[in-house]
Amino acid sequence: MTEWREASLVSLGSVERGRSRHRPRNDPRLFGEKMPFFQTGDVKAATLHMTSAGQYYSDFGVAQSRVWEPGVTCITIAANIAESAVLGRHGCFPDSVLGFTPAYQPEDAYFVKYLLDVHRERLTNAARGTTQANLSLEKLLAHKFPVPGPATRCRIAGVLRSLDELIENNRRRSWVLQEMARAIYREWFVHFRYPGHGDSTLAPSPLGLIPEGWTCGTVQDMVELVKTTVDPGSVDPATPAVGLEHIPRRHLTLDAWSTAEGLGSRKSVFAAGDILFGKIRPYFHKVSVAPLDGICSTDAIVLRPLDNHWGQAVMTVSSDDFVAHATQTSNGTKMPRADWKVIKEFPVSLPPAEVAQRFTVVVRDALQAAELLMFQSRGLASARDLLLPKLMTGQIDVSSLDLDAVAEGAAA
């Protein structure tokens, strides 16, 4: 620890506010397809590199903001306090996000990200005391952190970054698997180009032209609504518990959950393979397949697909068309909720059992591969979280760490 010292972030680089000058901030003229506009939620959602933005600026929006270079560390100071991610592409962000630009070596962007991860609770406490928690640039720069020399900073950032990049790679592979399943779904059930389709003809139906031998139905013909609820206090405290905050947007693989310990109100019961559909603000597109048994918020609709139709049910309920229908028919203004009594009547064309079963095999194979990647990533994240505070405080000598052994053990 002899090379470690107490220092502020400005000893490693510059820290500046993001920029969004125009008012009102929701002026439609600001938005388009020109440049990613990253906000606090985008920073929080990123594992390491931030590349996905919820909104994009137009030329007008870019002109009143600032375009930041990749490699800047983005730090939230409002809403989600002290969350951080390294910018993975050119983009803009508002003044609720700070940008740290390294002065000495690019690796310091990652070192600062991990430094903030370790000290997030301390920084969050510093942000309290007002009606709305706000860290402020001044408060952040007033903090001193333990900082080693440049070579050690580079090695520490390299070790932790390697684990996070493995996680990011797994997520990209998982996304490709799901996109493949979606593409096959469109081929089979929208364009009717399924194996053997050349021998069939299209016939008129209430849904339009569909292959002969197919029938018209609704979503409720493919799934069973699970109504079972339970008092969390009556189950094993270690039982997986899923809140709406755990269900990812537009991603079928559920990769986060907590436990039943300490939960109060009754929860819905689900089993591995069930579909969890977030019914509050359905436009958030929170639809995932459960990888294990557990309990969840009653604000999620639990659907159990029938065996033959499992694949079609999963892909239909998670489709843009179904989510749009749930959004358009939802009840409420501030907190709209999807109504199962309405959305269960969503029309679908049902294939013969052989086609439905073949499609289920395709989707199960893809999603099981994605689940395996998810569980590997959880192991890697656990290893990272274990190493993080020890490396960032000098308790572990990074020069003696065998990263290959750590990664292999975590992914096993």
Side-chain angles (χ1 to χ4, degrees), residues 20 22 66 71 73 76 96 122 139 162 164 202 236 240 250 276 290 307 319 322 347 357 379:
S20 183
H22 185 78
R66 170 182 174 178
T73 308
T76 62
S96 56
R122 171 186 166 195
K139 287 181 180 179
S162 294
D164 273 334
L202 299 180
D236 185 335
R250 303 186 65 84
L276 307 183
D307 286 342
S319 68
F322 185 82
Q357 289 167 1

PDB file of all heavy atoms in Angstrom, residues 20 22 66 71 73 76 96 122 139 162 164 202 236 240 250 276 290 307 319 322 347 357 379:
ATOM      1  N   SER A  20     -27.525  20.042 -21.729  1.00  0.00           N
ATOM      2  CA  SER A  20     -28.820  20.008 -22.409  1.00  0.00           C
ATOM      3  C   SER A  20     -29.470  21.361 -22.142  1.00  0.00           C
ATOM      4  O   SER A  20     -30.232  21.535 -21.197  1.00  0.00           O
ATOM      5  CB  SER A  20     -29.691  18.860 -21.880  1.00  0.00           C
ATOM      6  OG  SER A  20     -30.898  18.781 -22.583  1.00  0.00           O
ATOM      7  N   HIS A  22     -31.577  23.402 -23.957  1.00  0.00           N
ATOM      8  CA  HIS A  22     -32.901  23.807 -24.431  1.00  0.00           C
ATOM      9  C   HIS A  22     -33.990  23.481 -23.406  1.00  0.00           C
ATOM     10  O   HIS A  22     -33.959  22.455 -22.738  1.00  0.00           O
ATOM     11  CB  HIS A  22     -33.215  23.107 -25.754  1.00  0.00           C
ATOM     12  CG  HIS A  22     -34.504  23.543 -26.375  1.00  0.00           C
ATOM     13  ND1 HIS A  22     -34.631  24.728 -27.066  1.00  0.00           N
ATOM     14  CD2 HIS A  22     -35.725  22.952 -26.419  1.00  0.00           C
ATOM     15  CE1 HIS A  22     -35.876  24.831 -27.506  1.00  0.00           C
ATOM     16  NE2 HIS A  22     -36.553  23.774 -27.128  1.00  0.00           N
ATOM     17  N   ARG A  66     -23.740  18.611 -26.193  1.00  0.00           N
ATOM     18  CA  ARG A  66     -22.319  18.394 -26.437  1.00  0.00           C
ATOM     19  C   ARG A  66     -22.114  16.934 -26.811  1.00  0.00           C
ATOM     20  O   ARG A  66     -22.678  16.043 -26.172  1.00  0.00           O
ATOM     21  CB  ARG A  66     -21.506  18.718 -25.182  1.00  0.00           C
ATOM     22  CG  ARG A  66     -20.045  18.284 -25.274  1.00  0.00           C
ATOM     23  CD  ARG A  66     -19.281  18.574 -24.005  1.00  0.00           C
ATOM     24  NE  ARG A  66     -17.915  18.025 -24.059  1.00  0.00           N
ATOM     25  CZ  ARG A  66     -17.006  18.156 -23.095  1.00  0.00           C
ATOM     26  NH1 ARG A  66     -17.297  18.838 -21.997  1.00  0.00           N
ATOM     27  NH2 ARG A  66     -15.805  17.615 -23.224  1.00  0.00           N
ATOM     28  N   GLY A  71     -14.858   6.420 -24.463  1.00  0.00           N
ATOM     29  CA  GLY A  71     -13.767   6.330 -23.497  1.00  0.00           C
ATOM     30  C   GLY A  71     -13.919   7.245 -22.315  1.00  0.00           C
ATOM     31  O   GLY A  71     -13.121   7.197 -21.374  1.00  0.00           O
ATOM     32  N   THR A  73     -15.811   8.314 -18.871  1.00  0.00           N
ATOM     33  CA  THR A  73     -16.600   7.666 -17.823  1.00  0.00           C
ATOM     34  C   THR A  73     -17.806   8.535 -17.504  1.00  0.00           C
ATOM     35  O   THR A  73     -17.649   9.701 -17.138  1.00  0.00           O
ATOM     36  CB  THR A  73     -15.771   7.468 -16.542  1.00  0.00           C
ATOM     37  OG1 THR A  73     -14.554   6.818 -16.862  1.00  0.00           O
ATOM     38  CG2 THR A  73     -16.544   6.631 -15.529  1.00  0.00           C
ATOM     39  N   THR A  76     -23.554   9.327 -12.881  1.00  0.00           N
ATOM     40  CA  THR A  76     -24.854   9.925 -12.594  1.00  0.00           C
ATOM     41  C   THR A  76     -24.814  10.663 -11.255  1.00  0.00           C
ATOM     42  O   THR A  76     -24.240  10.178 -10.281  1.00  0.00           O
ATOM     43  CB  THR A  76     -25.963   8.859 -12.539  1.00  0.00           C
ATOM     44  OG1 THR A  76     -25.686   7.935 -11.481  1.00  0.00           O
ATOM     45  CG2 THR A  76     -26.037   8.084 -13.848  1.00  0.00           C
ATOM     46  N   SER A  96     -27.397  15.942 -15.593  1.00  0.00           N
ATOM     47  CA  SER A  96     -27.533  14.987 -14.486  1.00  0.00           C
ATOM     48  C   SER A  96     -26.506  13.868 -14.595  1.00  0.00           C
ATOM     49  O   SER A  96     -26.467  12.972 -13.750  1.00  0.00           O
ATOM     50  CB  SER A  96     -28.944  14.395 -14.462  1.00  0.00           C
ATOM     51  OG  SER A  96     -29.258  13.794 -15.708  1.00  0.00           O
ATOM     52  N   ARG A 122     -21.194   5.381  -0.063  1.00  0.00           N
ATOM     53  CA  ARG A 122     -20.672   6.598   0.564  1.00  0.00           C
ATOM     54  C   ARG A 122     -21.114   7.842  -0.204  1.00  0.00           C
ATOM     55  O   ARG A 122     -21.533   8.853   0.388  1.00  0.00           O
ATOM     56  CB  ARG A 122     -19.151   6.501   0.608  1.00  0.00           C
ATOM     57  CG  ARG A 122     -18.406   7.751   1.022  1.00  0.00           C
ATOM     58  CD  ARG A 122     -16.908   7.488   0.851  1.00  0.00           C
ATOM     59  NE  ARG A 122     -16.119   8.703   0.899  1.00  0.00           N
ATOM     60  CZ  ARG A 122     -14.858   8.780   0.508  1.00  0.00           C
ATOM     61  NH1 ARG A 122     -14.252   7.702   0.043  1.00  0.00           N
ATOM     62  NH2 ARG A 122     -14.206   9.917   0.578  1.00  0.00           N
ATOM     63  N   LYS A 139     -19.730  18.269  -4.689  1.00  0.00           N
ATOM     64  CA  LYS A 139     -19.653  17.221  -3.661  1.00  0.00           C
ATOM     65  C   LYS A 139     -18.773  16.064  -4.114  1.00  0.00           C
ATOM     66  O   LYS A 139     -17.986  15.526  -3.336  1.00  0.00           O
ATOM     67  CB  LYS A 139     -21.054  16.709  -3.319  1.00  0.00           C
ATOM     68  CG  LYS A 139     -21.910  17.659  -2.504  1.00  0.00           C
ATOM     69  CD  LYS A 139     -23.264  17.032  -2.196  1.00  0.00           C
ATOM     70  CE  LYS A 139     -24.142  17.970  -1.385  1.00  0.00           C
ATOM     71  NZ  LYS A 139     -25.485  17.357  -1.117  1.00  0.00           N
ATOM     72  N   SER A 162     -11.669  -7.225 -17.757  1.00  0.00           N
ATOM     73  CA  SER A 162     -11.703  -8.513 -18.452  1.00  0.00           C
ATOM     74  C   SER A 162     -12.941  -9.321 -18.060  1.00  0.00           C
ATOM     75  O   SER A 162     -13.599  -9.938 -18.906  1.00  0.00           O
ATOM     76  CB  SER A 162     -10.441  -9.321 -18.141  1.00  0.00           C
ATOM     77  OG  SER A 162      -9.304  -8.687 -18.665  1.00  0.00           O
ATOM     78  N   ASP A 164     -15.805  -8.069 -16.823  1.00  0.00           N
ATOM     79  CA  ASP A 164     -17.001  -7.397 -17.329  1.00  0.00           C
ATOM     80  C   ASP A 164     -17.153  -7.559 -18.837  1.00  0.00           C
ATOM     81  O   ASP A 164     -18.266  -7.647 -19.352  1.00  0.00           O
ATOM     82  CB  ASP A 164     -16.970  -5.912 -16.962  1.00  0.00           C
ATOM     83  CG  ASP A 164     -17.559  -5.645 -15.585  1.00  0.00           C
ATOM     84  OD1 ASP A 164     -18.404  -6.443 -15.142  1.00  0.00           O
ATOM     85  OD2 ASP A 164     -17.170  -4.651 -14.946  1.00  0.00           O
ATOM     86  N   LEU A 202     -52.485 -21.403 -49.237  1.00  0.00           N
ATOM     87  CA  LEU A 202     -53.109 -20.470 -48.309  1.00  0.00           C
ATOM     88  C   LEU A 202     -54.614 -20.434 -48.550  1.00  0.00           C
ATOM     89  O   LEU A 202     -55.080 -20.489 -49.697  1.00  0.00           O
ATOM     90  CB  LEU A 202     -52.515 -19.078 -48.487  1.00  0.00           C
ATOM     91  CG  LEU A 202     -51.012 -18.945 -48.215  1.00  0.00           C
ATOM     92  CD1 LEU A 202     -50.553 -17.514 -48.439  1.00  0.00           C
ATOM     93  CD2 LEU A 202     -50.686 -19.388 -46.793  1.00  0.00           C
ATOM     94  N   ASP A 236     -39.319 -20.662   1.814  1.00  0.00           N
ATOM     95  CA  ASP A 236     -37.901 -20.573   2.153  1.00  0.00           C
ATOM     96  C   ASP A 236     -37.402 -19.160   1.844  1.00  0.00           C
ATOM     97  O   ASP A 236     -37.614 -18.661   0.739  1.00  0.00           O
ATOM     98  CB  ASP A 236     -37.130 -21.601   1.308  1.00  0.00           C
ATOM     99  CG  ASP A 236     -35.650 -21.685   1.662  1.00  0.00           C
ATOM    100  OD1 ASP A 236     -35.097 -20.698   2.182  1.00  0.00           O
ATOM    101  OD2 ASP A 236     -35.046 -22.737   1.412  1.00  0.00           O
ATOM    102  N   PRO A 240     -36.064 -17.599  -4.919  1.00  0.00           N
ATOM    103  CA  PRO A 240     -35.892 -16.475  -5.852  1.00  0.00           C
ATOM    104  C   PRO A 240     -37.154 -15.626  -5.934  1.00  0.00           C
ATOM    105  O   PRO A 240     -38.268 -16.159  -6.020  1.00  0.00           O
ATOM    106  CB  PRO A 240     -35.600 -17.161  -7.185  1.00  0.00           C
ATOM    107  CG  PRO A 240     -34.988 -18.476  -6.797  1.00  0.00           C
ATOM    108  CD  PRO A 240     -35.722 -18.891  -5.555  1.00  0.00           C
ATOM    109  N   ARG A 250     -37.198  -5.769 -23.362  1.00  0.00           N
ATOM    110  CA  ARG A 250     -36.972  -6.366 -24.675  1.00  0.00           C
ATOM    111  C   ARG A 250     -35.918  -7.481 -24.643  1.00  0.00           C
ATOM    112  O   ARG A 250     -35.113  -7.618 -25.556  1.00  0.00           O
ATOM    113  CB  ARG A 250     -36.564  -5.290 -25.695  1.00  0.00           C
ATOM    114  CG  ARG A 250     -37.556  -4.163 -25.839  1.00  0.00           C
ATOM    115  CD  ARG A 250     -37.149  -3.218 -26.958  1.00  0.00           C
ATOM    116  NE  ARG A 250     -37.208  -3.932 -28.238  1.00  0.00           N
ATOM    117  CZ  ARG A 250     -38.320  -4.092 -28.971  1.00  0.00           C
ATOM    118  NH1 ARG A 250     -39.469  -3.595 -28.552  1.00  0.00           N
ATOM    119  NH2 ARG A 250     -38.278  -4.747 -30.113  1.00  0.00           N
ATOM    120  N   LEU A 276     -43.142 -14.295 -17.746  1.00  0.00           N
ATOM    121  CA  LEU A 276     -43.465 -13.195 -16.837  1.00  0.00           C
ATOM    122  C   LEU A 276     -43.672 -11.949 -17.690  1.00  0.00           C
ATOM    123  O   LEU A 276     -42.754 -11.485 -18.370  1.00  0.00           O
ATOM    124  CB  LEU A 276     -42.336 -12.981 -15.829  1.00  0.00           C
ATOM    125  CG  LEU A 276     -41.887 -14.207 -15.028  1.00  0.00           C
ATOM    126  CD1 LEU A 276     -40.813 -13.820 -14.017  1.00  0.00           C
ATOM    127  CD2 LEU A 276     -43.075 -14.859 -14.326  1.00  0.00           C
ATOM    128  N   ALA A 290     -38.935 -17.375 -17.253  1.00  0.00           N
ATOM    129  CA  ALA A 290     -38.302 -17.690 -15.969  1.00  0.00           C
ATOM    130  C   ALA A 290     -37.321 -18.853 -16.136  1.00  0.00           C
ATOM    131  O   ALA A 290     -37.711 -19.912 -16.637  1.00  0.00           O
ATOM    132  CB  ALA A 290     -39.358 -18.035 -14.936  1.00  0.00           C
ATOM    133  N   ASP A 307     -47.553 -27.249 -23.582  1.00  0.00           N
ATOM    134  CA  ASP A 307     -46.317 -27.871 -24.073  1.00  0.00           C
ATOM    135  C   ASP A 307     -46.121 -27.727 -25.570  1.00  0.00           C
ATOM    136  O   ASP A 307     -45.062 -27.296 -26.044  1.00  0.00           O
ATOM    137  CB  ASP A 307     -46.284 -29.354 -23.684  1.00  0.00           C
ATOM    138  CG  ASP A 307     -45.986 -29.546 -22.196  1.00  0.00           C
ATOM    139  OD1 ASP A 307     -45.480 -28.589 -21.573  1.00  0.00           O
ATOM    140  OD2 ASP A 307     -46.258 -30.634 -21.668  1.00  0.00           O
ATOM    141  N   SER A 319     -43.712 -10.419 -28.593  1.00  0.00           N
ATOM    142  CA  SER A 319     -43.603  -9.718 -29.881  1.00  0.00           C
ATOM    143  C   SER A 319     -44.004  -8.248 -29.745  1.00  0.00           C
ATOM    144  O   SER A 319     -44.760  -7.855 -28.853  1.00  0.00           O
ATOM    145  CB  SER A 319     -44.489 -10.390 -30.929  1.00  0.00           C
ATOM    146  OG  SER A 319     -45.865 -10.210 -30.619  1.00  0.00           O
ATOM    147  N   PHE A 322     -47.871  -7.794 -29.923  1.00  0.00           N
ATOM    148  CA  PHE A 322     -48.630  -8.119 -28.716  1.00  0.00           C
ATOM    149  C   PHE A 322     -48.426  -7.045 -27.650  1.00  0.00           C
ATOM    150  O   PHE A 322     -49.381  -6.617 -26.997  1.00  0.00           O
ATOM    151  CB  PHE A 322     -48.222  -9.488 -28.177  1.00  0.00           C
ATOM    152  CG  PHE A 322     -49.046  -9.934 -26.995  1.00  0.00           C
ATOM    153  CD1 PHE A 322     -50.291 -10.517 -27.185  1.00  0.00           C
ATOM    154  CD2 PHE A 322     -48.592  -9.764 -25.701  1.00  0.00           C
ATOM    155  CE1 PHE A 322     -51.068 -10.918 -26.100  1.00  0.00           C
ATOM    156  CE2 PHE A 322     -49.355 -10.163 -24.609  1.00  0.00           C
ATOM    157  CZ  PHE A 322     -50.598 -10.745 -24.815  1.00  0.00           C
ATOM    158  N   PRO A 347     -55.543 -12.211 -31.401  1.00  0.00           N
ATOM    159  CA  PRO A 347     -55.712 -13.300 -32.391  1.00  0.00           C
ATOM    160  C   PRO A 347     -54.375 -13.876 -32.862  1.00  0.00           C
ATOM    161  O   PRO A 347     -53.391 -13.155 -33.040  1.00  0.00           O
ATOM    162  CB  PRO A 347     -56.446 -12.606 -33.536  1.00  0.00           C
ATOM    163  CG  PRO A 347     -56.063 -11.165 -33.424  1.00  0.00           C
ATOM    164  CD  PRO A 347     -55.895 -10.892 -31.951  1.00  0.00           C
ATOM    165  N   GLN A 357     -44.731 -28.218 -32.457  1.00  0.00           N
ATOM    166  CA  GLN A 357     -43.708 -28.931 -31.680  1.00  0.00           C
ATOM    167  C   GLN A 357     -42.313 -28.658 -32.232  1.00  0.00           C
ATOM    168  O   GLN A 357     -41.361 -28.466 -31.471  1.00  0.00           O
ATOM    169  CB  GLN A 357     -44.011 -30.431 -31.687  1.00  0.00           C
ATOM    170  CG  GLN A 357     -45.240 -30.804 -30.859  1.00  0.00           C
ATOM    171  CD  GLN A 357     -45.716 -32.228 -31.139  1.00  0.00           C
ATOM    172  OE1 GLN A 357     -45.121 -32.949 -31.935  1.00  0.00           O
ATOM    173  NE2 GLN A 357     -46.802 -32.626 -30.481  1.00  0.00           N
ATOM    174  N   GLY A 379     -22.047 -15.935 -12.528  1.00  0.00           N
ATOM    175  CA  GLY A 379     -20.851 -16.400 -11.832  1.00  0.00           C
ATOM    176  C   GLY A 379     -19.699 -15.438 -11.989  1.00  0.00           C
ATOM    177  O   GLY A 379     -18.963 -15.146 -11.033  1.00  0.00           O
TER     178      GLY A 379
END
